[in-house]
């Protein structure tokens, strides 16, 4: 039987995101509560300032460009405390927001602008050249490129969003309400770990539901007041706001629950540690590479991280070895969660009190959802057996934009989303994710999960980072696991170290999981900004190595 969440269902109000956040009757914190803080400039937004800025921006969109319901506003910007107001201002005006990776090339950004049908583009001055080029490729006029952040355009060619807010005649406009179930709030694009990004259509109800589900999952362990300095819990936000992880669990959750959100434009290990110390951060949503850095990087010892009550890791599997390492070194607690862009995103999280007793699990199913693990033949498997995770609930996306075939393959007729992730649940209802369906290495009929091997390798003292992929071996007519490894400082990545690592690994895993594809030493592991290993990049590298080897043998 499918597993229903053990949490009581939460009541999901029949409203759009604007009504949910700004017209609610049960907001526990005052208008002057500071929500978003820039730690570098000390610029900040209170709840009231976010709301007023959003309304003014939304009115400006309507007055300046006759903004219509369903028009798409694209964001191409590093994290910024102006982003929430811009986002909800677009929603106030009836628009859809499509955030893009600020690391994109002009060609990559142009694809998203064209695919989403964006009518305007919000960016920052440091990336204006790329934004300008992409807008031209996508047919967006230059007068529809808007700047946010602290820097203005010295040429005065591009408007700052503050001038959009002050557009003449804007005061007469009223809010455009959205149908929470039917109207889209966001078009987020998949990270492209396995190919071309897909536009994930998320409606208002999806985000409202998931915000409430996450709040329930944190179980009252976080508060908007009290704590170390009377300001309640403080979240350090470096997760990219263009990614659904940061978009929901950071931007929306902080505004809904009244948490102070200290915003980093991008991750840097020393800055992260310094901000935790200086701002007395109590909670941070992280990704496994950050947890790994905390366990290994020498700079961490310079800072006082004792204010941190919990870290929550998501976006990729986190292993017991990494959790143990950071806890034993720094006494930091790290629980794990799970979700996808298509699930708005969070579907599971470990209860705070079970963070250590269930290490390796992604937690229990959040409220209002039902899940099951399915065999390759699409038959449900019992608890303890491995299968593909399928989930249904109010947080499940509406489909992929302009991709009916992809939508049909992902969503069942009875509303389940096929996650593409492999795992199992135990008898106590804890869920485990072992790998992606497409990333499993098939060695002579055995399935080898790369994430499991990566977790073990990460605990080796001579390894700073790693990734495992399957390489086809013609002699054995099967895939074999190969590790790409970033050696620790002072470690030589030669034949001796390769043999040492392979022998060490062989003693820890079953025969079919051994690194028969060998070890390759690299300067860095390619990853998406959300921390997912880009295995396709490594597979291309492996093919190039194979081709080069064949030429050398000729």
């Amino acid at each position: 039987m499918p597993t229903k969440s053990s949490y009581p269902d939460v009541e999901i109000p029949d409203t759009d995101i604007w009504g949910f956040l700004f017209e609610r009757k049960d907001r526990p914190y005052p208008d002057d509560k500071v929500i978003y803080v820039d730690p570098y400039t000390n610029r900040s937004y209170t709840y009231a300032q976010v709301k007023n800025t959003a309304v003014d921006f939304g009115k400006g969109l309507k007055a300046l460009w006759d903004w219509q319901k369903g028009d798409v506003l694209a964001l191409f910007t590093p994290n910024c405390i102006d982003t929430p107001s811009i986002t909800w201002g677009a929603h106030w005006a009836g628009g859809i927001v499509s955030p893009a990776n600020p690391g994109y090339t002009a060609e990559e950004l142009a694809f998203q602008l064209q695919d989403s049908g964006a009518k305007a583009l919000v960016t920052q001055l440091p990336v204006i050249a790329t934004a300008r080029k992409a807008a031209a490729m996508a047919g967006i006029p230059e007068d529809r490129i808007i700047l946010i952040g602290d820097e203005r355009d010295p040429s005065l060619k591009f408007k700052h969003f503050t001038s959009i807010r002050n557009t003449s005649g804007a005061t007469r406009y009223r809010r455009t309400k959205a149908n929470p179930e039917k109207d889209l709030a966001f078009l987020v694009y998949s990270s492209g770990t396995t190919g071309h990004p897909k536009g994930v259509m998320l409606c208002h109800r999806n985000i409202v539901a998931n915000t409430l589900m996450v709040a329930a999952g944190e179980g009252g362990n976080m508060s908007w007041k009290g704590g170390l300095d009377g300001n309640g819990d403080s979240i350090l936000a470096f997760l990219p706001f263009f990614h659904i992880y940061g978009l929901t669990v950071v931007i929306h959750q902080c505004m809904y629950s009244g948490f102070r959100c200290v915003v980093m434009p991008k991750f840097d290990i020393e800055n992260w540690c310094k901000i935790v110390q200086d701002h007395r951060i109590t909670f941070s949503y992280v990704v496994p590479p950050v947890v790994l850095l905390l366990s290994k990087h020498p700079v961490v010892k310079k800072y006082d991280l004792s204010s941190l009550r919990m870290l929550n890791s998501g976006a990729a599997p986190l292993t017991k070895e990494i959790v143990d390492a950071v806890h034993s070194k720094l006494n930091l607690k790290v629980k794990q969660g799970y979700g996808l862009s298509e699930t708005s995103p969070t579907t599971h999280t470990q209860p705070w009190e079970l963070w250590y007793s269930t290490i390796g699990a992604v937690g229990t199913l959040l409220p209002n959802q039902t899940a099951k693990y399915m065999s390759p033949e699409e038959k449900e498997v019992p608890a303890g057996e491995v299968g593909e995770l399928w989930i249904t609930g109010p947080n499940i996306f509406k489909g992929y934009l302009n991709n009916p075939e992809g939508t049909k393959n992902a969503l069942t007729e009875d509303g389940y989303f096929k996650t593409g992730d492999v795992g199992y649940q135990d008898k106590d209802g804890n869920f485990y994710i072992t790998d992606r369906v497409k990333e499993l290495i098939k060695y002579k009929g055995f399935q080898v999960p790369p994430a499991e091997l990566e977790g073990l390798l990460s605990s080796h003292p001579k390894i700073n980072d790693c990734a495992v992929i399957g390489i086809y071996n013609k002699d054995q007519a099967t895939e074999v696991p190969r590790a790409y490894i970033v050696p620790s400082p002072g470690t030589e990545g030669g034949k001796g170290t390769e043999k040492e690592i392979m022998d060490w690994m062989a003693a820890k895993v079953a025969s079919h999981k051994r690194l028969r594809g060998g070890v390759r030493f690299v300067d860095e592991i390619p990853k998406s900004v959300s921390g997912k290993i880009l295995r396709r990049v490594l597979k291309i590298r492996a093919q190039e190595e194979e081709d080069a080897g064949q030429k050398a043998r000729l």
Side-chain angles (χ1 to χ4, degrees), residues 439-442 450 468-472 479-482 539 542:
E439 291 175 356
L440 287 172
I441 300 165
K442 306 288 181 63
V468 175
I469 62 171
I471 301 297
Y472 190 75
E479 280 189 315
V480 292
R482 174 183 291 174
K539 284 183 178 290

Side-chain angles (χ1 to χ4, degrees), residues 272 286 288 290-297 300-301 305-306 308-311 318-335 350 352-359 459:
W272 189 91
V286 297
V290 171
V291 184
L292 186 63
L293 269 177
L294 288 170
S295 73
K296 291 179 177 283
H297 202 289
V300 175
K301 295 178 181 178
L305 308 182
S306 61
L308 282 168
R309 298 196 292 119
M310 184 68 76
L311 301 178
L318 183 67
T319 61
K320 182 179 189 299
E321 289 77 15
I322 298 176
V323 174
D324 274 339
V326 78
H327 186 239
S328 62
K329 180 179 178 181
L330 301 170
N331 197 33
L332 285 179
K333 299 176 180 178
V334 188
K335 69 186 184 75
Q350 280 179 291
W352 283 48
E353 66 277 9
L354 299 180
W355 76 272
Y356 195 79
S357 62
T358 58
I359 287 181
S459 67

Side-chain angles (χ1 to χ4, degrees), residues 82-123:
D82 298 329
T83 300
S85 295
I86 293 295
T87 297
W88 295 321
H91 287 160
W92 184 93
I96 301 166
V97 175
S98 184
N101 184 342
Y104 272 171
T105 64
E107 290 73 19
E108 289 170 325
L109 175 58
F111 167 79
Q112 183 166 332
L113 296 178
Q114 290 170 323
D115 193 61
S116 65
K119 298 292 176 62
L121 176 61
V122 174
T123 188

Side-chain angles (χ1 to χ4, degrees), residues 186-190 198-202 341-342 397 399-401:
F186 293 100
L187 273 170
V188 298
Y189 278 71
S190 64
K198 298 190 292 287
V200 177
M201 299 189 291
L202 298 171
S341 297
E342 293 89 344
F397 76 133
Y400 297 114
L401 182 70

Side-chain angles (χ1 to χ4, degrees), residues 265-507:
K266 62 179 181 179
F267 181 77
D268 172 85
I269 184 64
E270 184 154 14
N271 277 342
W272 189 91
C273 292
K274 187 176 189 304
I275 293 169
V276 168
Q277 174 182 278
D278 295 350
H279 287 260
R280 305 298 287 159
I281 299 296
T282 62
F283 191 95
S284 188
Y285 288 97
V286 297
V287 289
V290 171
V291 184
L292 186 63
L293 269 177
L294 288 170
S295 73
K296 291 179 177 283
H297 202 289
V299 77
V300 175
K301 295 178 181 178
K302 290 170 48 180
Y303 296 93
D304 176 10
L305 308 182
S306 61
S307 61
L308 282 168
R309 298 196 292 119
M310 184 68 76
L311 301 178
N312 186 92
S313 182
L318 183 67
T319 61
K320 182 179 189 299
E321 289 77 15
I322 298 176
V323 174
D324 274 339
V326 78
H327 186 239
S328 62
K329 180 179 178 181
L330 301 170
N331 197 33
L332 285 179
K333 299 176 180 178
V334 188
K335 69 186 184 75
Q336 191 169 186
Y338 169 78
L340 307 98
S341 297
E342 293 89 344
T343 56
S344 304
T346 313
T347 60
H348 298 71
T349 191
Q350 280 179 291
W352 283 48
E353 66 277 9
L354 299 180
W355 76 272
Y356 195 79
S357 62
T358 58
I359 287 181
V362 295
T364 54
L365 197 61
L366 289 180
N368 300 65
Q369 298 176 106
T370 303
K372 55 187 177 182
Y373 283 102
M374 304 293 282
S375 71
E377 297 76 33
E378 300 196 347
K379 303 293 184 185
E380 187 176 358
V381 300
E385 288 191 20
V386 173
E388 180 187 0
L389 179 61
W390 291 14
I391 303 175
T392 187
N395 50 315
I396 301 301
F397 76 133
K398 308 298 287 185
Y400 297 114
L401 182 70
N402 305 325
N403 191 343
E405 189 65 26
T407 301
K408 182 181 177 182
N409 292 335
L411 295 172
T412 67
E413 290 185 2
D414 57 349
Y416 277 91
F417 168 55
K418 304 175 183 180
T419 67
D421 284 323
V422 174
Y424 63 94
Q425 64 172 313
D426 65 19
K427 59 181 177 57
D428 298 317
N430 297 297
F431 282 68
Y432 293 78
I433 300 296
T434 53
D435 236 305
R436 294 286 296 167
V437 169
K438 293 179 180 178
E439 291 175 356
L440 287 172
I441 300 165
K442 306 288 181 63
Y443 173 73
K444 294 185 175 179
F446 291 98
Q447 292 188 337
V448 181
E452 177 189 343
L453 305 189
E454 289 157 359
L456 287 169
L457 288 166
S458 296
S459 67
H460 194 286
K462 292 187 177 180
I463 296 174
N464 238 16
D465 201 359
C466 64
V468 175
I469 62 171
I471 301 297
Y472 190 75
N473 184 297
K474 291 181 180 178
D475 295 335
Q476 299 184 58
T478 186
E479 280 189 315
V480 292
R482 174 183 291 174
Y484 284 83
I485 285 171
V486 179
S488 298
T491 297
E492 283 291 327
K495 288 290 184 184
T497 306
E498 177 181 1
K499 185 177 186 307
E500 178 187 338
I501 290 170
M502 290 179 66
D503 290 347
W504 177 85
M505 194 68 169

